[in-house]
Amino acid sequence: KAGKAKRPPRRKDPLWARLMVIFGALLMLGSGGTIVGSKALISHVTSGIQQENLLGSAAKTEEEGGGDLEGPINLLLLGGDYRERNGNKNDTRSDTIIILHIPATHDQAYLLSFPRDTEVQIPPFEKSGYPGGTAKATEAFFFGAQNGGGWAGGAQLVALTIKNMTGISFDGAAIINFGGFKKIIDALGGVHMCVDHEVKSIHMELVDGKPMWKHEARKVSGRKEPVIHKVGCRHMEGWEALDYARQRESLPNKDYGRQQNQQKLIKAMAKKAMDTGILTNPLKVNELIKAAGEALIIDTGGIKIEEFIFGLRGVAANDLVML
């Protein structure tokens, strides 16, 4: 109609910004003129990322549209709380559980957080010998990882639990541990985050101004202060952004507030990569891939990773909707 303002053209983010959104860390995910513009180059720089079967029987069947990128796509993103001091990698919970839904148009992405403490019916899982039972959603990963199940078994049991509850089958999945998340944020040069509610860290404290895990800080001397995330917007290094996104005890809405902050961090990472031109710098791209490769395990449902990424090139970081 006359006089009606035209919508500005939708901004196309570089391919790697989309990848950072899609996987939550590369997030956490061919337009834009980025250095990563071909399947061959994508294949080369992602060759070090570990790939395993993370979905098991929760993967989409051919009848459900699995095995290709036609139609809507559902991805399961898991953040693992692996603490190296325990010495047991499988003593891990999935403290972050996110369903990433991409509609059939492939021009939008929705992040839906699944609360970690949701009471769920976890089905029997032969791979780890788990008999089934009622537990928290975060514990499904632990039960699936026992007795040789490993992180792949943990992810499979989380995926199967969610499928049984919701009917959702998945096209792909990704696991990233929290330590790896920090490395990726640091490789980006930090991120811009806004703190809505002041919160005191339950994980870290400052020793002579240096951030340390509390269990490590107890072993050393020095001037010790609490880590307090004060209200306001600012640049955060990896340790600070990750620590803030992990807090829940002091937030008004507890774990719901933490879910919002985790999603904000994912979006901040994608925005930083896009706005600063990092993704057009081959040296920086290699740093991101190296950091991600040490932290990520992915499952692309049998589709080559370069095909998977290239097939979702219509999804832009600015089109990410947080639920």
Side-chain angles (χ1 to χ4, degrees):
K1 295 180 181 180
K4 185 176 180 180
K6 293 184 178 180
R7 286 186 61 187
R10 185 165 63 89
R11 184 178 181 181
K12 286 288 188 181
D13 299 335
L15 186 59
W16 278 102
R18 298 186 207 110
L19 180 58
M20 291 188 70
V21 172
I22 291 166
F23 286 120
L26 287 174
L27 228 315
M28 13 221 10
L29 197 111
S31 59
T34 164
I35 194 72
V36 184
S38 72
K39 294 180 184 179
L41 188 51
I42 294 171
S43 177
H44 174 71
V45 298
T46 58
S47 60
I49 297 178
Q50 184 178 351
Q51 299 188 58
E52 292 190 32
N53 179 357
L54 304 180
L55 294 173
S57 59
K60 277 186 182 177
T61 63
E62 286 189 21
E63 292 75 14
E64 292 174 315
D68 60 48
L69 297 176
E70 300 296 327
I73 295 171
N74 297 316
L75 304 177
L76 178 63
L77 309 179
L78 302 175
D81 187 14
Y82 165 51
R83 306 182 185 190
E84 294 183 4
R85 70 181 188 275
N86 293 341
N88 179 6
K89 188 176 180 180
N90 292 332
D91 184 14
T92 303
R93 275 77 175 163
S94 51
D95 275 5
T96 301
I97 304 172
I98 294 176
I99 298 171
L100 174 61
H101 173 71
I102 300 170
T105 50
H106 292 189
D107 60 356
Q108 193 89 37
Y110 298 87
L111 283 179
L112 174 63
S113 290
F114 197 96
R116 69 183 293 280
D117 291 332
T118 304
E119 182 180 274
V120 297
Q121 295 297 320
I122 304 176
F125 193 61
E126 183 177 354
K127 189 173 184 178
S128 67
Y130 179 65
T134 303
K136 296 178 180 180
T138 184
E139 295 174 324
F141 191 96
F142 173 82
F143 293 133
Q146 301 310 297
N147 301 319
W151 281 18
Q156 289 175 18
L157 189 51
V158 173
L160 183 58
T161 299
I162 293 176
K163 179 179 179 179
N164 286 355
M165 291 184 66
T166 65
I168 295 173
S169 296
F170 296 96
D171 298 271
I175 304 173
I176 184 167
N177 67 58
F178 288 136
F181 229 107
K182 175 185 177 299
K183 292 179 182 178
I184 294 171
I185 298 170
D186 286 336
L188 285 169
V191 293
H192 186 80
M193 289 280 288
C194 292
V195 177
D196 299 322
H197 302 280
E198 181 173 308
V199 57
K200 179 180 177 181
S201 175
I202 64 171
H203 302 117
M204 306 190 77
E205 65 181 339
L206 300 175
V207 180
D208 292 330
K210 178 183 177 181
M212 295 183 68
W213 293 105
K214 285 191 173 182
H215 72 273
E216 294 175 346
R218 287 193 290 266
K219 302 174 184 177
V220 300
S221 59
R223 179 172 55 86
K224 299 179 180 179
E225 304 172 84
V227 171
I228 300 177
H229 301 284
K230 296 185 178 295
V231 174
C233 299
R234 57 186 170 275
H235 177 272
M236 292 188 182
E237 296 178 17
W239 74 267
E240 184 181 8
L242 182 60
D243 186 62
Y244 173 61
R246 294 185 66 193
Q247 304 303 315
R248 63 175 176 138
E249 298 295 340
S250 301
L251 296 177
N253 293 321
K254 302 297 181 182
D255 195 46
Y256 292 106
R258 178 168 68 171
Q259 292 166 39
Q260 291 176 329
N261 291 336
Q262 289 169 345
Q263 293 181 353
K264 284 162 56 178
L265 176 56
I266 291 172
K267 195 163 187 176
M269 291 170 68
K271 182 174 174 56
K272 176 64 179 289
M274 177 184 68
D275 289 348
T276 59
I278 285 175
L279 300 173
T280 61
N281 182 329
L283 293 178
K284 283 292 184 182
V285 168
N286 282 334
E287 286 181 25
L288 287 176
I289 293 303
K290 183 178 179 181
E294 295 172 352
L296 265 182
I297 304 174
I298 68 170
D299 180 351
T300 55
I303 300 171
K304 290 182 179 180
I305 186 171
E306 62 269 25
E307 297 285 349
F308 199 92
I309 296 167
F310 216 76
L312 299 179
R313 60 189 180 275
V315 180
N318 287 341
D319 297 318
L320 179 63
V321 179
M322 301 186 293
L323 305 174

